[in-house]
Amino acid sequence: MTAQTKLDAWEQRTEWPLAGAAVIFLVAYAVGVLDQPAGAAAAAVGMVTAVTWALFAMDYVVRLWLAPRRWRWFYRHLFDLAIVVLPLLRPLRLLRLVTLIAVLQRAAGRAIRGRVVLYTVSGAILLVFVASLAVLEAERGQPDAHIVNFADALWWSMTTITTVGYGDMTPVSTTGRVIAVLLMIGGISLVGSITATLASWIVQRVADEDNAGRVVTTAHIERLMDEIQQLRGEVQRLQGVPARGDRPDG
Amino acid sequence: MTAQTKLDAWEQRTEWPLAGAAVIFLVAYAVGVLDQPAGAAAAAVGMVTAVTWALFAMDYVVRLWLAPRRWRWFYRHLFDLAIVVLPLLRPLRLLRLVTLIAVLQRAAGRAIRGRVVLYTVSGAILLVFVASLAVLEAERGQPDAHIVNFADALWWSMTTITTVGYGDMTPVSTTGRVIAVLLMIGGISLVGSITATLASWIVQRVADEDNAGRVVTTAHIERLMDEIQQLRGEVQRLQGVPARGDRPDG
Amino acid sequence: MTAQTKLDAWEQRTEWPLAGAAVIFLVAYAVGVLDQPAGAAAAAVGMVTAVTWALFAMDYVVRLWLAPRRWRWFYRHLFDLAIVVLPLLRPLRLLRLVTLIAVLQRAAGRAIRGRVVLYTVSGAILLVFVASLAVLEAERGQPDAHIVNFADALWWSMTTITTVGYGDMTPVSTTGRVIAVLLMIGGISLVGSITATLASWIVQRVADEDNAGRVVTTAHIERLMDEIQQLRGEVQRLQGVPARGDRPDG
Amino acid sequence: MTAQTKLDAWEQRTEWPLAGAAVIFLVAYAVGVLDQPAGAAAAAVGMVTAVTWALFAMDYVVRLWLAPRRWRWFYRHLFDLAIVVLPLLRPLRLLRLVTLIAVLQRAAGRAIRGRVVLYTVSGAILLVFVASLAVLEAERGQPDAHIVNFADALWWSMTTITTVGYGDMTPVSTTGRVIAVLLMIGGISLVGSITATLASWIVQRVADEDNAGRVVTTAHIERLMDEIQQLRGEVQRLQGVPARGDRPDG
């Protein structure tokens, strides 16, 4: 088994366990932010967070160790390193949930537009939920914060990702603003995705209307080819006929 | 008559009555919110609301009863159930008005872009109107509300659906914010629809420019086919000629 | 000369004079709003406004009179009537300036994308300028107005048409809000136009890349046709050969 | 060497030095705005700014002098003149950095969508950075300014370019508002670019799905042509056969 094959096998085997760990992390994160537990509950949340962190860190180390060309792998997975090392980026572990989306995908069929819609919608919902938790955690402690409960955080996230931006509440901490910028980028992508999917659908429908029964497909070429080959057959039989016609002359 | 056929027949027969009920509900809803009637008028509005609700509920029950596979139908029509059961979603009954739009559609022709524009524009107008009524009803009672009359509600709806979002007035109640989120989603779809329609139009016009007289259609293939078949005819006649030429030799 | 021809001839002859009248009206309108002239100057502005109004009203009456089917023309030109009758819509007379844009168009060439860009850019500039004047006129007199000078009005127009919508200044009068809604609609169209033009350009460039030398054009079909016709010619000469070969037998 | 060739040679030779000058100018500009240096440091920043200005001015003069038709060149490069003459537009010298982007481009390959993404992303980052510096410089001195440090300026730039526009901080000076308008235009282009790239990608993928193995390419035409030419060859051999058959008759 080559090194690359081993890495691939590891990634395939750990796909589901890591997605599971990401879900457990999400639940622990949500409980930690929303319930602000104390005592034993806080310890439990802290432990779950630590364990899921350890799993992701271990996965990173194993993959680095299995990679055939380690430096190259290291440079190409700086983002993975950042997710493991920087506490601010912890929620990005949820990117692992694309594995779950891939399952939904089988239900949605393999049509490209269906997949784009699926990724856009589930990505937007996840982004709004996680960003609301993260901004609430970041802002809650600020003296002049506008966003002090989860309902406010969700409302703010929705106004941001849709690029409406009322400004009735805005983050005041640096962490909160970084989260806001990620949401804005998500929002532009959301608008872009929806528009692009619609545009593609309309373009295709218009093309179908325009070209109904007028587009030349390989089926037309096949029919032409058939016709020409039958013609060749007849010409070849014709070559045989004068040949027969030659004999009486000879 | 199979169960599916009965369900289809029911849905076809009730299409117009339910669209009518939706219009009557809209009028009663608008009167209820805008006039805030008292006494007999309030009773009349309440009765109309109750009757239209009963019609939609009855329609839901009949369809569930007629459905060949009831559980499957139930799962696939959870949204219909929500519209019947949840008072907040009552305005969504107006989705029935797509039947009316379908009539306008016949006027607009069957071209796909015309239909997209028609649904977008009439959907946006209906959404702005209903959302303005709903947000006014939700906000009016709040102590710190910004939106306290219909003109404000309309203004706020317009700034929201266009994603401009000045923030000079924002909903403060949870119901108001849920309506706002629906408007924002409507807004993103509105921008997406307009852009997509324009893009499709430009793409088509550019393609027409580029390909004017250069696109291969089935008409070209027909001409090729004709030519080849005439050639075959001539080759076949040629097969007859040496045959005739054979006889003098015999 | 038929009635339709007369109407067309009138519209062609009045195209430039009315565009000129629209420009003069725009200048008078700008002077009236920005300088708030008094005495003789105010009288002059008022007179120019009245004269241009009279020209547009006269044009409307003449066109209605020349129209072959007057009721049909009336129904189809309700918008023209509104521009003449409603003072609020007076600035829309500037739509006449599309004649001027048509001139620029000749410079920009007839390529569809170039024309879309031209109409979008000149339309947006005109819309921002006129909306700034109109909103300033509408707001200036309000006690709690935010928009009280032309710089503010321009700034507000720009934040609105780009759908940024800071909300640092918003119109408070009904007229101001109607203008704002028109600007928002203009803004959505602006975003849509730019996106659509870009999308069309990229789609075309990608298609060119993909299909370079691989797209079947009528030129290919011509070459096929040529080849087949030469073949027919040869088969026909072949039919002549056995014919000649027949004679010695006869 | 013709005048045009000389101009082209000059532009090619100065491409990199001017991009370098633009980077040095950017660093000096950033230091000047962010550190607000005094004494020797301020003098150094001032000198670097003056030298880079002189380089750009010299380049403008040389190009004007080398241009074959000077007036025509002058009219077509009014924008270049404005960048040299107007202090407000100095940051636009950074447009020279497109040379650097052109280098990245070689890495990103020549695919049109990759290039659009590259220009959009690097353009947006540069625009946000420079606009933040410029708006900070413009606003800092204002008595009622909201934007008083670089973090605020960056935050404001991001909310503007994504068209979110919270309005929690807005420029109050005219220069600041001009920068804001440029950012808004940049934002509309950013949204447009991302949407258009996505739309093009989806349109292409959908077309690939639809047409897989069904699109007629020149390869099909080649095969048809081959078949017809083989047929001609056979017919020509056939013409030789009766010719041989003729001889015995003669």
Side-chain angles (χ1 to χ4, degrees), chain B residues 152 155 158-159 162-166 168 194-195 199 202 206 209-210 213-214 216 220 227-228 230-231 234 238, chain C residues 110 112 156 160 163-167 170 177 180-181 184 192 196 200 204 216-218 228-229 231-232 236 238-239:
Chain B
D152 284 356
W155 168 242
M158 282 304 304
T159 61
T162 55
T163 79
V164 168
Y166 288 125
D168 55 342
I194 290 173
T195 305
I202 297 177
V206 168
E209 254 177 22
D210 270 22
R214 284 183 46 230
V216 172
H220 290 108
E227 196 73 10
I228 295 175
Q230 288 190 27
L231 180 58
E234 282 165 24
L238 199 62
Chain C
R110 302 203 60 81
I112 186 74
W156 169 82
T160 301
T163 78
V164 168
Y166 288 126
T170 49
R177 287 181 174 180
V181 167
M184 290 171 198
S200 143
Q204 191 186 16
V216 172
T217 62
T218 45
I228 294 174
Q229 275 163 351
L231 181 59
R232 268 187 82 179
Q236 277 160 354
L238 200 62
Q239 286 181 310

Short mmCIF file of all heavy atoms in Angstrom, two decimals, chain B residues 152 155 158-159 162-166 168 194-195 199 202 206 209-210 213-214 216 220 227-228 230-231 234 238, chain C residues 110 112 156 160 163-167 170 177 180-181 184 192 196 200 204 216-218 228-229 231-232 236 238-239:
data_model
loop_
_atom_site.label_atom_id
_atom_site.label_comp_id
_atom_site.label_asym_id
_atom_site.label_seq_id
_atom_site.Cartn_x
_atom_site.Cartn_y
_atom_site.Cartn_z
N ASP B 152 -45.75 53.61 7.23
CA ASP B 152 -44.46 53.16 7.76
C ASP B 152 -44.20 51.71 7.40
O ASP B 152 -43.08 51.34 7.00
CB ASP B 152 -44.43 53.28 9.30
CG ASP B 152 -44.26 54.70 9.76
OD1 ASP B 152 -44.09 55.59 8.90
OD2 ASP B 152 -44.31 54.94 10.97
N TRP B 155 -43.27 51.39 3.79
CA TRP B 155 -41.93 51.94 3.61
C TRP B 155 -40.87 50.95 4.09
O TRP B 155 -39.89 50.65 3.41
CB TRP B 155 -41.84 53.27 4.37
CG TRP B 155 -40.48 53.86 4.54
CD1 TRP B 155 -39.84 54.10 5.71
CD2 TRP B 155 -39.60 54.33 3.52
NE1 TRP B 155 -38.61 54.67 5.49
CE2 TRP B 155 -38.44 54.82 4.15
CE3 TRP B 155 -39.67 54.36 2.12
CZ2 TRP B 155 -37.36 55.34 3.45
CZ3 TRP B 155 -38.59 54.87 1.42
CH2 TRP B 155 -37.46 55.36 2.08
N MET B 158 -40.58 47.94 1.77
CA MET B 158 -39.84 48.25 0.55
C MET B 158 -38.34 48.30 0.82
O MET B 158 -37.55 47.77 0.06
CB MET B 158 -40.30 49.59 -0.04
CG MET B 158 -41.61 49.52 -0.79
SD MET B 158 -41.65 48.30 -2.14
CE MET B 158 -40.27 48.81 -3.14
N THR B 159 -37.93 48.95 1.92
CA THR B 159 -36.49 49.02 2.20
C THR B 159 -35.93 47.63 2.50
O THR B 159 -34.75 47.38 2.26
CB THR B 159 -36.17 49.95 3.40
OG1 THR B 159 -36.81 49.43 4.56
CG2 THR B 159 -36.62 51.35 3.16
N THR B 162 -35.87 45.24 -0.97
CA THR B 162 -34.82 45.65 -1.91
C THR B 162 -33.44 45.49 -1.28
O THR B 162 -32.44 45.86 -1.90
CB THR B 162 -35.02 47.11 -2.34
OG1 THR B 162 -35.07 47.91 -1.15
CG2 THR B 162 -36.29 47.31 -3.12
N THR B 163 -33.36 44.96 -0.07
CA THR B 163 -32.12 44.77 0.70
C THR B 163 -31.37 46.09 0.95
O THR B 163 -30.18 46.07 1.23
CB THR B 163 -31.15 43.75 0.07
OG1 THR B 163 -30.45 44.33 -1.00
CG2 THR B 163 -31.84 42.48 -0.37
N VAL B 164 -32.09 47.23 0.84
CA VAL B 164 -31.46 48.51 1.15
C VAL B 164 -31.27 48.60 2.67
O VAL B 164 -30.18 48.86 3.17
CB VAL B 164 -32.28 49.69 0.61
CG1 VAL B 164 -31.79 51.01 1.19
CG2 VAL B 164 -32.21 49.73 -0.90
N GLY B 165 -32.34 48.35 3.42
CA GLY B 165 -32.23 48.25 4.87
C GLY B 165 -31.67 49.49 5.55
O GLY B 165 -30.62 49.42 6.18
N TYR B 166 -32.38 50.62 5.46
CA TYR B 166 -31.89 51.83 6.13
C TYR B 166 -31.75 51.61 7.63
O TYR B 166 -30.84 52.10 8.27
CB TYR B 166 -32.86 52.99 5.93
CG TYR B 166 -32.86 53.56 4.54
CD1 TYR B 166 -34.04 53.65 3.83
CD2 TYR B 166 -31.70 54.03 3.97
CE1 TYR B 166 -34.06 54.20 2.56
CE2 TYR B 166 -31.71 54.58 2.70
CZ TYR B 166 -32.90 54.66 2.00
OH TYR B 166 -32.92 55.21 0.77
N ASP B 168 -34.00 52.83 9.66
CA ASP B 168 -34.69 53.93 10.37
C ASP B 168 -35.88 53.40 11.14
O ASP B 168 -36.31 53.98 12.12
CB ASP B 168 -35.09 55.05 9.39
CG ASP B 168 -35.94 54.55 8.25
OD1 ASP B 168 -35.94 53.33 8.00
OD2 ASP B 168 -36.59 55.36 7.58
N ILE B 194 -34.61 39.09 -11.10
CA ILE B 194 -34.43 40.18 -12.06
C ILE B 194 -33.09 40.02 -12.76
O ILE B 194 -33.00 40.11 -13.99
CB ILE B 194 -34.54 41.54 -11.34
CG1 ILE B 194 -35.98 41.76 -10.92
CG2 ILE B 194 -34.05 42.67 -12.24
CD1 ILE B 194 -36.19 42.98 -10.06
N THR B 195 -32.05 39.77 -11.98
CA THR B 195 -30.73 39.60 -12.57
C THR B 195 -30.70 38.42 -13.53
O THR B 195 -30.18 38.52 -14.65
CB THR B 195 -29.69 39.36 -11.46
OG1 THR B 195 -29.76 40.43 -10.54
CG2 THR B 195 -28.30 39.26 -12.04
N ALA B 199 -29.86 38.47 -17.38
CA ALA B 199 -28.71 37.72 -17.85
C ALA B 199 -29.11 36.79 -18.98
O ALA B 199 -28.42 36.72 -20.02
CB ALA B 199 -28.09 36.93 -16.70
N ILE B 202 -29.65 38.82 -22.14
CA ILE B 202 -28.39 39.27 -22.77
C ILE B 202 -27.66 38.09 -23.39
O ILE B 202 -27.18 38.17 -24.53
CB ILE B 202 -27.49 39.99 -21.75
CG1 ILE B 202 -28.19 41.25 -21.24
CG2 ILE B 202 -26.16 40.36 -22.38
CD1 ILE B 202 -27.40 41.99 -20.18
N VAL B 206 -26.70 38.01 -27.26
CA VAL B 206 -25.30 37.90 -27.68
C VAL B 206 -25.12 36.67 -28.55
O VAL B 206 -24.46 36.71 -29.60
CB VAL B 206 -24.37 37.84 -26.45
CG1 VAL B 206 -22.97 37.44 -26.86
CG2 VAL B 206 -24.34 39.19 -25.75
N GLU B 209 -26.43 37.36 -31.94
CA GLU B 209 -25.47 38.19 -32.68
C GLU B 209 -24.33 37.35 -33.23
O GLU B 209 -23.96 37.42 -34.39
CB GLU B 209 -24.86 39.21 -31.72
CG GLU B 209 -25.35 40.61 -31.90
CD GLU B 209 -24.74 41.50 -30.85
OE1 GLU B 209 -23.69 41.18 -30.28
OE2 GLU B 209 -25.34 42.56 -30.60
N ASP B 210 -23.75 36.55 -32.32
CA ASP B 210 -22.58 35.74 -32.67
C ASP B 210 -22.87 34.76 -33.77
O ASP B 210 -22.07 34.55 -34.67
CB ASP B 210 -22.17 34.89 -31.45
CG ASP B 210 -21.19 35.64 -30.61
OD1 ASP B 210 -21.18 36.87 -30.70
OD2 ASP B 210 -20.46 34.99 -29.85
N GLY B 213 -26.97 33.28 -38.61
CA GLY B 213 -26.70 32.60 -39.87
C GLY B 213 -25.56 31.61 -39.80
O GLY B 213 -25.11 31.10 -40.81
N ARG B 214 -25.04 31.37 -38.58
CA ARG B 214 -23.91 30.45 -38.48
C ARG B 214 -24.24 29.21 -37.69
O ARG B 214 -23.46 28.26 -37.65
CB ARG B 214 -22.71 31.16 -37.86
CG ARG B 214 -21.99 32.11 -38.82
CD ARG B 214 -20.78 32.70 -38.13
NE ARG B 214 -20.02 31.68 -37.45
CZ ARG B 214 -19.61 31.74 -36.18
NH1 ARG B 214 -19.89 32.77 -35.45
NH2 ARG B 214 -18.92 30.76 -35.65
N VAL B 216 -25.90 25.75 -36.84
CA VAL B 216 -26.37 24.60 -37.61
C VAL B 216 -27.67 24.11 -36.99
O VAL B 216 -27.72 23.80 -35.81
CB VAL B 216 -25.32 23.49 -37.58
CG1 VAL B 216 -25.88 22.23 -38.22
CG2 VAL B 216 -24.07 23.94 -38.29
N HIS B 220 -30.47 22.38 -41.76
CA HIS B 220 -29.25 22.10 -42.52
C HIS B 220 -29.08 20.60 -42.72
O HIS B 220 -28.70 20.14 -43.80
CB HIS B 220 -28.02 22.63 -41.78
CG HIS B 220 -27.94 24.11 -41.76
ND1 HIS B 220 -28.18 24.84 -40.62
CD2 HIS B 220 -27.66 25.01 -42.74
CE1 HIS B 220 -28.04 26.12 -40.90
NE2 HIS B 220 -27.73 26.26 -42.17
N GLU B 227 -29.95 15.76 -50.13
CA GLU B 227 -28.90 15.68 -51.15
C GLU B 227 -28.39 14.23 -51.25
O GLU B 227 -28.25 13.68 -52.34
CB GLU B 227 -27.75 16.62 -50.75
CG GLU B 227 -26.78 16.95 -51.84
CD GLU B 227 -27.36 17.90 -52.87
OE1 GLU B 227 -28.48 18.46 -52.64
OE2 GLU B 227 -26.71 18.08 -53.91
N ILE B 228 -28.16 13.61 -50.07
CA ILE B 228 -27.63 12.24 -50.06
C ILE B 228 -28.65 11.28 -50.63
O ILE B 228 -28.32 10.36 -51.38
CB ILE B 228 -27.21 11.84 -48.63
CG1 ILE B 228 -26.04 12.69 -48.17
CG2 ILE B 228 -26.85 10.36 -48.56
CD1 ILE B 228 -25.61 12.46 -46.74
N GLN B 230 -31.03 11.97 -52.82
CA GLN B 230 -31.08 12.11 -54.28
C GLN B 230 -29.91 11.37 -54.92
O GLN B 230 -30.05 10.72 -55.96
CB GLN B 230 -31.02 13.58 -54.66
CG GLN B 230 -32.32 14.31 -54.34
CD GLN B 230 -32.32 15.70 -54.94
OE1 GLN B 230 -31.65 15.94 -55.95
NE2 GLN B 230 -33.06 16.61 -54.34
N LEU B 231 -28.74 11.44 -54.25
CA LEU B 231 -27.55 10.75 -54.74
C LEU B 231 -27.79 9.25 -54.76
O LEU B 231 -27.46 8.56 -55.72
CB LEU B 231 -26.39 11.11 -53.80
CG LEU B 231 -25.02 10.51 -54.08
CD1 LEU B 231 -24.54 10.90 -55.46
CD2 LEU B 231 -24.03 10.98 -53.04
N GLU B 234 -29.86 8.29 -57.61
CA GLU B 234 -29.11 8.26 -58.86
C GLU B 234 -28.24 7.01 -58.94
O GLU B 234 -28.11 6.39 -60.01
CB GLU B 234 -28.24 9.51 -58.98
CG GLU B 234 -29.09 10.70 -59.42
CD GLU B 234 -28.39 12.03 -59.21
OE1 GLU B 234 -27.15 12.03 -59.17
OE2 GLU B 234 -29.10 13.05 -59.10
N LEU B 238 -28.37 4.03 -61.54
CA LEU B 238 -27.13 3.59 -62.17
C LEU B 238 -27.03 2.06 -62.13
O LEU B 238 -26.58 1.42 -63.08
CB LEU B 238 -25.96 4.21 -61.40
CG LEU B 238 -24.59 4.28 -62.06
CD1 LEU B 238 -24.63 5.13 -63.31
CD2 LEU B 238 -23.59 4.85 -61.07
N ARG C 110 -23.11 48.62 -32.08
CA ARG C 110 -24.41 47.98 -31.94
C ARG C 110 -24.35 46.70 -31.12
O ARG C 110 -25.33 45.97 -31.03
CB ARG C 110 -24.99 47.67 -33.31
CG ARG C 110 -25.14 48.90 -34.19
CD ARG C 110 -26.19 48.68 -35.23
NE ARG C 110 -27.47 48.39 -34.62
CZ ARG C 110 -28.31 49.31 -34.13
NH1 ARG C 110 -28.00 50.58 -34.21
NH2 ARG C 110 -29.44 48.96 -33.59
N ILE C 112 -24.75 44.18 -28.28
CA ILE C 112 -25.81 44.22 -27.28
C ILE C 112 -25.27 44.56 -25.89
O ILE C 112 -25.85 45.37 -25.16
CB ILE C 112 -26.60 42.88 -27.26
CG1 ILE C 112 -27.79 42.97 -26.32
CG2 ILE C 112 -25.73 41.72 -26.87
CD1 ILE C 112 -28.89 43.80 -26.88
N TRP C 156 -27.30 60.52 -0.27
CA TRP C 156 -28.39 59.61 0.03
C TRP C 156 -28.79 58.79 -1.20
O TRP C 156 -29.02 57.58 -1.11
CB TRP C 156 -29.59 60.41 0.56
CG TRP C 156 -30.82 59.59 0.66
CD1 TRP C 156 -31.16 58.73 1.66
CD2 TRP C 156 -31.85 59.50 -0.33
NE1 TRP C 156 -32.34 58.12 1.36
CE2 TRP C 156 -32.78 58.57 0.16
CE3 TRP C 156 -32.07 60.12 -1.56
CZ2 TRP C 156 -33.93 58.25 -0.55
CZ3 TRP C 156 -33.21 59.79 -2.27
CH2 TRP C 156 -34.13 58.87 -1.76
N THR C 160 -28.63 54.71 -1.68
CA THR C 160 -29.88 53.98 -1.95
C THR C 160 -29.78 53.16 -3.22
O THR C 160 -30.15 51.99 -3.24
CB THR C 160 -31.05 54.97 -2.04
OG1 THR C 160 -31.13 55.67 -0.81
CG2 THR C 160 -32.35 54.25 -2.32
N THR C 163 -28.03 50.01 -3.01
CA THR C 163 -28.65 49.17 -1.97
C THR C 163 -27.78 49.04 -0.72
O THR C 163 -27.96 48.10 0.06
CB THR C 163 -29.03 47.74 -2.47
OG1 THR C 163 -27.89 46.93 -2.52
CG2 THR C 163 -29.73 47.77 -3.80
N VAL C 164 -26.85 49.97 -0.52
CA VAL C 164 -26.06 49.95 0.71
C VAL C 164 -26.95 50.39 1.88
O VAL C 164 -27.05 49.71 2.90
CB VAL C 164 -24.81 50.85 0.60
CG1 VAL C 164 -24.16 51.05 1.95
CG2 VAL C 164 -23.81 50.22 -0.37
N GLY C 165 -27.63 51.52 1.72
CA GLY C 165 -28.62 51.95 2.70
C GLY C 165 -28.10 52.11 4.11
O GLY C 165 -28.54 51.43 5.02
N TYR C 166 -27.17 53.07 4.31
CA TYR C 166 -26.67 53.28 5.67
C TYR C 166 -27.79 53.67 6.62
O TYR C 166 -27.82 53.27 7.77
CB TYR C 166 -25.64 54.42 5.68
CG TYR C 166 -24.33 54.08 5.07
CD1 TYR C 166 -23.80 54.86 4.06
CD2 TYR C 166 -23.59 53.00 5.51
CE1 TYR C 166 -22.56 54.58 3.51
CE2 TYR C 166 -22.36 52.70 4.95
CZ TYR C 166 -21.85 53.49 3.95
OH TYR C 166 -20.64 53.21 3.40
N GLY C 167 -28.70 54.50 6.15
CA GLY C 167 -29.75 54.99 7.02
C GLY C 167 -29.33 56.18 7.86
O GLY C 167 -30.02 56.55 8.79
N THR C 170 -32.60 59.52 5.84
CA THR C 170 -33.69 58.87 5.14
C THR C 170 -34.79 59.90 4.91
O THR C 170 -34.95 60.83 5.70
CB THR C 170 -34.28 57.71 5.96
OG1 THR C 170 -34.54 58.18 7.29
CG2 THR C 170 -33.34 56.53 6.03
N ARG C 177 -40.33 59.38 0.08
CA ARG C 177 -40.29 57.93 0.15
C ARG C 177 -40.65 57.28 -1.17
O ARG C 177 -40.10 56.23 -1.53
CB ARG C 177 -41.22 57.43 1.25
CG ARG C 177 -40.66 57.72 2.64
CD ARG C 177 -41.56 57.22 3.73
NE ARG C 177 -40.94 57.38 5.03
CZ ARG C 177 -41.53 57.03 6.17
NH1 ARG C 177 -42.74 56.51 6.15
NH2 ARG C 177 -40.91 57.20 7.32
N ALA C 180 -37.65 57.43 -3.12
CA ALA C 180 -36.73 56.42 -2.61
C ALA C 180 -37.05 55.05 -3.19
O ALA C 180 -36.15 54.31 -3.60
CB ALA C 180 -36.78 56.38 -1.09
N VAL C 181 -38.35 54.72 -3.23
CA VAL C 181 -38.74 53.41 -3.75
C VAL C 181 -38.34 53.28 -5.22
O VAL C 181 -37.83 52.25 -5.65
CB VAL C 181 -40.25 53.18 -3.54
CG1 VAL C 181 -40.73 51.99 -4.35
CG2 VAL C 181 -40.55 52.96 -2.07
N MET C 184 -34.71 52.61 -5.29
CA MET C 184 -34.40 51.23 -4.90
C MET C 184 -34.63 50.28 -6.07
O MET C 184 -33.82 49.39 -6.33
CB MET C 184 -35.29 50.81 -3.73
CG MET C 184 -34.96 51.49 -2.43
SD MET C 184 -36.24 51.12 -1.20
CE MET C 184 -35.91 52.44 -0.03
N GLY C 192 -28.64 44.18 -11.16
CA GLY C 192 -28.99 43.12 -12.09
C GLY C 192 -28.32 43.29 -13.44
O GLY C 192 -27.78 42.34 -14.01
N ALA C 196 -25.63 40.81 -14.92
CA ALA C 196 -26.04 40.08 -16.12
C ALA C 196 -25.05 40.30 -17.25
O ALA C 196 -24.71 39.37 -17.98
CB ALA C 196 -27.44 40.53 -16.53
N SER C 200 -22.94 37.33 -18.87
CA SER C 200 -23.01 37.05 -20.31
C SER C 200 -21.61 37.05 -20.91
O SER C 200 -21.25 36.19 -21.71
CB SER C 200 -23.89 38.09 -21.00
OG SER C 200 -23.39 38.42 -22.27
N GLN C 204 -19.82 33.72 -22.46
CA GLN C 204 -19.36 33.71 -23.85
C GLN C 204 -17.88 33.35 -23.94
O GLN C 204 -17.46 32.55 -24.78
CB GLN C 204 -19.60 35.09 -24.47
CG GLN C 204 -19.38 35.10 -25.97
CD GLN C 204 -19.47 36.47 -26.55
OE1 GLN C 204 -19.40 37.46 -25.83
NE2 GLN C 204 -19.63 36.57 -27.84
N VAL C 216 -19.55 23.39 -34.57
CA VAL C 216 -19.96 23.15 -35.94
C VAL C 216 -20.74 24.36 -36.43
O VAL C 216 -21.73 24.75 -35.83
CB VAL C 216 -20.83 21.88 -36.01
CG1 VAL C 216 -21.41 21.72 -37.39
CG2 VAL C 216 -19.99 20.68 -35.64
N THR C 217 -20.27 24.97 -37.51
CA THR C 217 -20.98 26.12 -38.06
C THR C 217 -21.53 25.73 -39.42
O THR C 217 -21.25 24.65 -39.94
CB THR C 217 -20.04 27.32 -38.23
OG1 THR C 217 -19.03 26.94 -39.16
CG2 THR C 217 -19.41 27.72 -36.91
N THR C 218 -22.31 26.64 -40.00
CA THR C 218 -22.85 26.38 -41.33
C THR C 218 -21.73 26.22 -42.35
O THR C 218 -21.92 25.58 -43.38
CB THR C 218 -23.78 27.52 -41.75
OG1 THR C 218 -23.15 28.75 -41.44
CG2 THR C 218 -25.10 27.44 -40.99
N ILE C 228 -20.61 16.42 -51.21
CA ILE C 228 -21.68 15.54 -51.69
C ILE C 228 -22.07 15.91 -53.10
O ILE C 228 -22.32 15.05 -53.95
CB ILE C 228 -22.90 15.60 -50.73
CG1 ILE C 228 -22.52 15.01 -49.37
CG2 ILE C 228 -24.09 14.85 -51.31
CD1 ILE C 228 -23.60 15.15 -48.32
N GLN C 229 -22.09 17.24 -53.39
CA GLN C 229 -22.50 17.65 -54.74
C GLN C 229 -21.46 17.27 -55.79
O GLN C 229 -21.81 16.88 -56.91
CB GLN C 229 -22.81 19.14 -54.76
CG GLN C 229 -24.26 19.39 -54.33
CD GLN C 229 -24.52 20.81 -53.93
OE1 GLN C 229 -23.61 21.62 -53.81
NE2 GLN C 229 -25.79 21.13 -53.69
N LEU C 231 -19.67 14.66 -55.53
CA LEU C 231 -19.92 13.22 -55.65
C LEU C 231 -21.07 12.95 -56.59
O LEU C 231 -20.99 12.08 -57.48
CB LEU C 231 -20.23 12.68 -54.25
CG LEU C 231 -20.50 11.19 -54.10
CD1 LEU C 231 -19.33 10.37 -54.58
CD2 LEU C 231 -20.78 10.87 -52.63
N ARG C 232 -22.16 13.73 -56.44
CA ARG C 232 -23.31 13.57 -57.34
C ARG C 232 -22.89 13.81 -58.79
O ARG C 232 -23.32 13.11 -59.69
CB ARG C 232 -24.41 14.57 -56.98
CG ARG C 232 -25.41 14.01 -56.01
CD ARG C 232 -26.56 14.95 -55.82
NE ARG C 232 -27.57 14.87 -56.87
CZ ARG C 232 -28.67 15.61 -56.88
NH1 ARG C 232 -28.89 16.49 -55.93
NH2 ARG C 232 -29.56 15.47 -57.84
N GLN C 236 -23.23 11.32 -61.77
CA GLN C 236 -23.98 11.65 -62.98
C GLN C 236 -23.12 11.43 -64.23
O GLN C 236 -23.59 10.94 -65.24
CB GLN C 236 -24.48 13.09 -62.92
CG GLN C 236 -25.79 13.19 -62.13
CD GLN C 236 -26.07 14.59 -61.64
OE1 GLN C 236 -25.23 15.48 -61.78
NE2 GLN C 236 -27.24 14.78 -61.04
N LEU C 238 -20.87 9.28 -64.35
CA LEU C 238 -20.82 7.83 -64.42
C LEU C 238 -22.04 7.29 -65.17
O LEU C 238 -21.95 6.35 -65.96
CB LEU C 238 -20.81 7.29 -62.98
CG LEU C 238 -20.30 5.88 -62.74
CD1 LEU C 238 -18.86 5.74 -63.17
CD2 LEU C 238 -20.44 5.54 -61.26
N GLN C 239 -23.20 7.92 -64.93
CA GLN C 239 -24.42 7.54 -65.64
C GLN C 239 -24.25 7.77 -67.14
O GLN C 239 -24.77 7.04 -67.95
CB GLN C 239 -25.62 8.34 -65.12
CG GLN C 239 -26.08 7.87 -63.74
CD GLN C 239 -27.26 8.66 -63.25
OE1 GLN C 239 -27.23 9.89 -63.28
NE2 GLN C 239 -28.29 7.98 -62.79
#
